Amino acid sequence: MAATYDVVIVGGGIAGLSLASALAGRCSVALVEAEQQLAYHTSGRSARQLIPSFGPSVVQELTVRTLELMAARDAELPEPVLTPRSFMLIGDEETVRAEASGHMRAISHAEALELCPVLEPGSFSAAGLDTGSFGCNAAVLLEDHRARAEVAGVDIITGARVHSAQRLGVGWQLGAGQEAFQAGVVVNAAGAWADELAVISGVEKLGLQPYRRTAAIVAVERSLPDACPMVATADDSFYFRRDGADVLISPSEHVPSGAGDARPFPGDVERLIARLNTVTSLGIGAVRSAWTGLRTEAADGVPVVGFDAEAAGFFWLAGQGGYGFQTSSGIAELAAAQILAGSGNPPAAGMSPESRTADALAATRWSIRR
């Protein structure tokens, strides 16, 4: 017999978990995750940096709201999610100017070298600095969302890949693993599998494309100062930041991929190490660990959030690209308000569609139209 809920969320990454905690206690919710553990794929492989100057304007607005919500929550947590960590963009004058936003200010070449003394002076000519950026303790954030959701009655089921979904009357029936569910609203928070879930559900897919992004933790001869910003190139060819005594590095690749358990391509990390050892004095040695995640995007690079205009009760929460953590709380707040309004439940306090970020999120297609 099928278990019945107001909302079933498909996907246990940061998008699904943050929405589950936002809806918890306001309606009955189940979250189903295909893997045996939550946040196994992209959300477990994040660079853990929240950057208000990163992404399209709608993403920047949602990032600011997310930081506000996280900061308020940090006051109640024994271990904070947020740690101040600036973000610095380097490159030539034209590229830095083109990529810098209102949240970033230009700084001199000398200031950039003072902030990050391992940079070779001739490797860049211009820099911008975002001092409103934060490091994110992803594990603490994910666990807080999970705990808040479960305490408020959300059922979380792992190892349950959706294999069937169909519209029945005024609701949906789903088969996931060995379980069956009925719900008025199905939320597609399936990340790289979002279009695949749409096809299973008989909903027209949106052309969401997963892209590879690799990172590694490496040992270095010259450690970065505690206050060193995260450093990225304006042409998006690499970034690095301090990770304790080690350094996290990434080639920032943007290579189309199929949905799956991504792994680093042979040579990607090694080529980046060779380059970084010429443009910095880090003296990179052993690779401690390396991984690849999938950043799933719509064609316009804007997150896809809202009810499908043609499939009643099917809610898209996908296409966050590389902005999943930094927009998660802002999107969840507003998505919860839309879902509650659509299901006839009153929005919770703080979830009003009249929020100052509502206009920004409206650009993400509250009602998905093709």
Side-chain angles (χ1 to χ4, degrees), residues 19-27 29 145 148-154 348 351:
L19 178 60
S21 68
L23 287 172
R26 303 300 302 176
C27 59
V29 180
H145 282 311
R148 290 166 66 187
E150 288 196 323
V151 164
V154 174
M351 294 183 183

Side-chain angles (χ1 to χ4, degrees), residues 256-281:
S257 172
D261 192 358
R263 293 287 186 268
F265 280 173
D268 278 0
V269 173
E270 292 75 14
R271 282 189 291 272
L272 176 59
I273 290 172
R275 182 180 179 192
L276 285 173
N277 278 338
T278 65
V279 300
T280 75
S281 57

Side-chain angles (χ1 to χ4, degrees), residues 5-27:
Y5 299 89
D6 295 318
V7 179
V8 171
I9 301 169
V10 180
I14 182 59
L17 281 169
S18 57
L19 178 60
S21 68
L23 287 172
R26 303 300 302 176
C27 59

Side-chain angles (χ1 to χ4, degrees), residues 90-261:
I90 61 171
D92 58 56
E93 294 278 357
E94 182 179 355
T95 310
V96 169
R97 185 168 54 251
E99 292 299 316
S101 78
H103 296 280
M104 179 175 285
R105 63 179 177 87
I107 61 173
S108 69
H109 190 264
E111 287 176 302
L113 290 174
E114 184 176 354
L115 287 167
C116 188
V118 303
L119 289 170
E120 292 294 338
S123 64
F124 69 102
S125 58
L129 186 68
D130 180 348
T131 56
S133 178
F134 287 82
C136 174
N137 191 324
V140 170
L141 179 62
L142 289 163
E143 173 57 20
D144 183 48
H145 282 311
R146 184 206 63 76
R148 290 166 66 187
E150 288 196 323
V151 164
V154 174
D155 290 332
I156 296 178
I157 302 98
T158 58
R161 184 177 298 276
V162 174
H163 52 76
S164 63
Q166 58 183 322
R167 179 78 181 166
L168 293 178
V170 295
W172 288 83
Q173 182 166 303
L174 282 76
Q178 301 300 311
E179 309 290 334
F181 304 88
Q182 289 184 346
V185 176
V186 171
V187 177
N188 183 354
W193 288 264
D195 265 357
E196 180 179 310
L197 177 63
V199 171
I200 290 172
S201 306
V203 176
E204 186 178 347
K205 61 184 182 179
L206 298 180
L208 301 174
Q209 175 63 59
Y211 294 90
R212 298 169 52 81
R213 177 60 58 91
T214 298
I217 304 294
V218 295
V220 294
E221 295 175 358
R222 185 180 182 188
S223 297
L224 293 171
D226 289 352
C228 184
M230 179 176 177
V231 177
T233 54
D235 65 0
D236 205 24
S237 59
F238 68 77
Y239 64 77
F240 64 86
R241 68 161 177 80
R242 186 173 178 272
D243 192 272
D246 298 324
V247 173
L248 182 149
I249 65 174
S250 173
S252 297
E253 83 272 36
H254 195 254
V255 179
S257 172
D261 192 358

Side-chain angles (χ1 to χ4, degrees), residues 298-364:
D300 59 6
V302 175
V304 178
V305 182
F307 282 106
D308 193 283
E310 298 172 7
F314 191 91
F315 193 94
W316 291 85
L317 186 64
Q320 292 91 347
Y323 318 120
F325 275 91
Q326 72 177 52
T327 61
S328 57
S329 296
I331 285 180
E333 176 186 59
L334 293 167
Q338 183 72 358
I339 290 168
L340 290 169
S343 61
N345 292 305
M351 294 183 183
S352 170
E354 285 72 42
S355 162
R356 67 181 180 80
T357 54
D359 289 342
L361 192 57
T364 66

